[in-house]
Amino acid sequence: MPWENPDHPPFIEFRNVTKKFGDFTAVKNLSLKIYEKEFFALLGGSGCGKTTLMRMLAGFETPTSGQIFLDGQDLAGIPPYRRPSNMMFQSYALFPHMSVEKNIAFGLKQDKMPTSEVEARVAEMLQLTKLEQFAKRKPHQLSGGQRQRVALARSLAKRPKVLLLDEPLGALDRKLREETQFELMNLQEELKMTFLIVTHDQEEAMTVADRIAVMDKGELVQVATPAEIYEAPNCKFVADFIGDVNLIEAKVTEKTDALTRMTSVVDGFALECDQATDASVGETVWYAIRPEKVRIAEGNVEPGVVNHIGGVVWDIAYLGDVSIIHAKVGEDDHDTLRSTFANVSRIVEKPITWDDNVVLTFDRDAGVILRG
Amino acid sequence: MAEEHVAPPVRRGLGGWLLIAMPYIWLLIFFLAPFLIVFKISLSQVAIAIPPYVPTFDLSEGWQAFADGLSELSLENYVWLTEDALYWRSYLSSVTIAAVSTFLTLLIGYPIAYAMARAPQALRPTLLMLVILPFWTSFLIRVYAWIGILKNEGLLNQLLLSLGLIDEPLVILNTNIAVYIGIVYSYLPFLVLPLYASLERLDGSLLEAAEDLGCPPWKAFWKITVPLSLPGIIAGCFLVFIPAVGEFVIPDLLGGSNTLMIGKTLWVEFFNNRDWPVSSAVAVILLLILVIPIVLFQNQQQKMSEKEG
Ligand SMILES: Nc1ncnc2c1ncn2[C@@H]1O[C@H](COP(=O)(O)OP(=O)(O)O)[C@@H](O)[C@H]1O
Ligand SMILES: [Mg+2]
């Protein structure tokens, strides 16, 4: 993978980019490398600066300081209409007075492409996005999903070096969104382009992207593959932002190169993790464990066994495919741990139910230690 | 394609019907009735009487008198309009002057409306107020004021002379140029307001999208902004062109003796010659000249939008 090789030249590079709007800093001293043919996702909550970052790449905003490179070229001073990237706008921004095919042809005509070639490319794009029968329609005569595909076709038509997608699927319903995610992935593979997608939807980012950059308040928090982000988040924010997680405040009691022992600050149970930590003994850390890695069984806890926590079933959520059990492990009602399990058969002989005494167990390598 | 939505039948009380009928009643009383009266006068003959035409209908004289009156009506006045070159030259000159001034108003009004629509949100109400501000002074006084500006020893000439740009005063007052200036000045707000409304609604991301696709901003203006503000342009141009064709005050005060406009011709016919029937015929033809192109245009628009479905 190119990002594992520090000598591999990046295709897009943000170098110490800062963007201020008045007193407000939307992007803070951000550096990021994106490689050719990557499907890269910028993930973060609303207002964290994702769109601003993308607009700086497209040329609609000028960085307050720092540089942006695309294919080795410093983009400073290059107007949007001469940048080799194309953007699919969050609002689609289709030209309402032009038919679907005119919308798609718009960018090609700017390049003074011969008419026959324009026609061929438009036909190809219509086919690629399955819009052939809508070619003559105006945008207002299309459904949301069709408009989204026109916007996609229009931004792909010029075969840009980079396709920028700003929350491209935000306006679609869930099923269509999932379908389109896979279509996007296929397109990216087929066209061998670099895709940069902005989204606040972590599932979407995990589904489509080769790598994800998690952003918070204008800064990058973690840049890694979806699996790394999920299994080895580097801070509480990422662990909490991506998926569901149990966060246990714990005090380090013993540490070696291959093992860390802790006790829960609130409830005093023992925790063991096969991960080294740079926190010193006595320091407080966060132990993060995903609910699906917590096994749950009826019975009482044997004292002294690590990663064995006794509890009482407090709440059960049946979601069809999985169930989530909230087990109370302390005095306080909110002091619960969650365990998720797949409902592998339709009928369970003796299901766990409210107020049952249960034991929660997990392996040494199931959770991660986080600081801060 | 969107499904056809069939509106459920609505039960209307008397109030409901009245509400729907209001615009029609309005049109009937303030447009159709006066028009019919003018049309009837245009078919009458001039007479030295009060009112100065015959026949006059008086239902108290019975049906026979009414029928006799009807038979006296004729198209004579319309025939007369075609025989004297003064009339068609007045129409032609009016339409030309109105068209040229509408074009000039658009040329000046578009940048104004554009700048207003692009101004910071907080500033826009103030700018709108400034556009409407001239209406707070009487139209007549404002046109008179232009005499003071444009006349040979007026403000404009004094300024140009003192700047050394000209050696002797420009003759502007009592020429068609003064009429153009007057019309452009007076009707500018009527063009700026609808244009501003359509430009303000324009989605800025469309221009960014155009630019992103390789279209420089000045080109995007022609390909995106202008076509999308077309409804505003058309509405504004109509609002300038229509009253400008029939304009009387401006050509009378600012124009010269050879400025030919139908409003002036009508005035002379009505007040100097006291020929109500001919001046009514002039007015009816003027109405047709204005209404027919607009109706055709609207039909065309309707057909276009129907074709798009
Ligand atoms: N043109 C602007 N002027 C002032 N503030 C802006 C402007 N654009 C964005 N911001 C602010 O910058 C922050 C980041 O915005 P944005 O990049 O759109 O966030 P995101 O796309 O992650 O939701 C927001 O707080 C927003 O209010
Ligand atoms: Mg955004």
Side-chain angles (χ1 to χ4, degrees), chain B residues 16 38 55 60 74 88 119 142-143 154 175 179 183 235 242 245 262 278 289 299:
Chain B
V38 170
S60 63
S74 75
W88 68 258
R142 284 184 285 129
V143 177
T175 67
V179 177
I183 294 178
I242 293 169
V245 172
I262 199 67
V278 164
I289 288 175
N299 263 355

Side-chain angles (χ1 to χ4, degrees), chain A residues 21 24 26 45-52:
Chain A
F21 293 110
F24 178 77
S46 173
C48 72
K50 309 178 296 286
T51 299
T52 305

Side-chain angles (χ1 to χ4, degrees), chain B residues 99-135:
Chain B
V100 171
S101 352
T102 304
F103 179 71
L104 294 175
T105 313
L106 182 63
L107 232 48
I108 296 169
Y110 205 104
I112 295 176
Y114 189 84
M116 280 169 66
R118 291 280 165 282
Q121 193 89 45
L123 207 63
R124 289 183 205 168
T126 317
L127 293 173
L128 264 180
M129 267 305 295
L130 288 176
V131 170
I132 302 168
L133 202 63
F135 291 125

